[in-house]
């Protein structure tokens, strides 16, 4: 193996020792780094949620009473069918919003489970940062970890923008 050739010279031994120390340091700091990233993500999403909940308190969705037609008997029948059509439309939109909300909550639950797994298993991947040949494993792990964490932030931002749009705010683009 190449280890026995590296240890022959002083330079090789220092490089090998430095890699061992770097590997040990990365193993020791790996969980702390991942937990700090998750704490930052939690803080950002928590602030967005608090602001969004404050916006929901003033959310004003009101159903307007349909105008009644002035026709004698037929007007009452037309009003009845208009009311049924309007209530079906509102019920269909509410059902779609509920289904989408449930899907988003399930996706958030899955992302949180993934983040928990990413926080549990980082030491071996951080240890691979010590050598040039295994750095790609660390990069793959950390890229996947950041993608998962930033997807949660993105979903919180989309939720917050949705609340703003429901309140009638204009989103400058």
């Amino acid at each position: 193996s190449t280890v026995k050739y590296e240890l022959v010279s002083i330079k090789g031994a220092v490089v090998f020792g430095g890699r061992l120390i770097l590997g040990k340091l990365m193993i020791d700091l790996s969980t702390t780094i991942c937990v700090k990233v998750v704490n930052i993500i939690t803080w950002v999403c928590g602030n967005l949620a608090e602001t969004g909940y404050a916006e929901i308190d003033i959310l004003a969705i009101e159903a307007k009473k349909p105008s009644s037609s002035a026709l004698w008997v037929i007007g009452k029948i037309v009003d009845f069918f208009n009311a049924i059509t309007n209530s079906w439309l509102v019920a269909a939109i509410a059902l779609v919003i509920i289904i989408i909300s449930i899907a988003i909550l399930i996706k958030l639950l899955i992302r949180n489970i993934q983040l928990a797994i990413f926080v549990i298993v980082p030491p071996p991947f951080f240890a691979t940062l010590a050598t040039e040949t295994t750095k790609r494993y660390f990069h793959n792990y950390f890229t996947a970890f950041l993608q998962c964490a930033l997807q949660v932030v993105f979903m919180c931002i989309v939720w917050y923008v949705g609340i703003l749009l429901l309140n009638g705010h204009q989103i400058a683009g």
Side-chain angles (χ1 to χ4, degrees), residues 18-160:
R19 285 184 182 163
L20 282 177
I21 291 171
L22 179 65
K24 174 64 173 138
L25 180 68
M26 295 310 292
I27 288 172
D28 291 342
L29 294 177
S30 62
T31 305
T32 307
I33 291 170
C34 289
V35 167
K36 294 288 184 189
V37 170
V38 170
N39 286 342
I40 291 169
I41 299 300
T42 304
W43 177 77
V44 169
C45 289
N47 286 341
L48 283 172
E50 285 179 20
T51 309
Y53 288 137
E55 293 287 333
I56 288 176
D57 289 340
I58 61 171
L59 187 62
I61 298 175
E62 53 186 58
K64 296 183 179 178
K65 182 180 177 186
S67 60
S68 61
S69 56
L71 299 174
W72 177 58
V73 173
I74 297 177
K76 300 290 184 190
I77 296 171
V78 169
D79 290 343
F80 173 74
F81 284 113
N82 277 341
I84 288 176
T85 305
N86 289 341
S87 65
W88 283 350
L89 183 62
V90 169
I93 291 171
L95 183 64
V96 167
I97 289 173
I98 289 171
I99 290 171
I100 290 172
S101 298
I102 290 171
I104 288 172
L105 287 175
I106 290 171
K107 186 168 182 172
L108 274 174
L109 178 67
I110 291 169
R111 291 291 174 239
N112 286 334
I113 291 170
Q114 282 180 326
L115 279 175
I117 292 170
F118 276 126
V119 169
I120 291 171
V121 297
F125 295 104
F126 274 75
T128 62
L129 191 58
T131 65
E132 290 296 322
T133 57
T134 59
K135 272 187 181 178
R136 63 187 166 110
Y137 299 118
F138 168 77
H139 290 295
N140 291 341
Y141 165 80
F142 208 68
T143 301
F145 173 65
L146 287 179
Q147 284 175 348
C148 184
L150 292 176
Q151 278 182 356
V152 174
V153 172
F154 177 73
M155 290 170 67
C156 290
I157 290 171
V158 168
W159 175 79
Y160 179 69

Side-chain angles (χ1 to χ4, degrees), residues 6 9-16:
E6 284 184 1
S9 69
I10 298 290
K11 179 185 174 198
V14 169
V15 169
F16 183 74

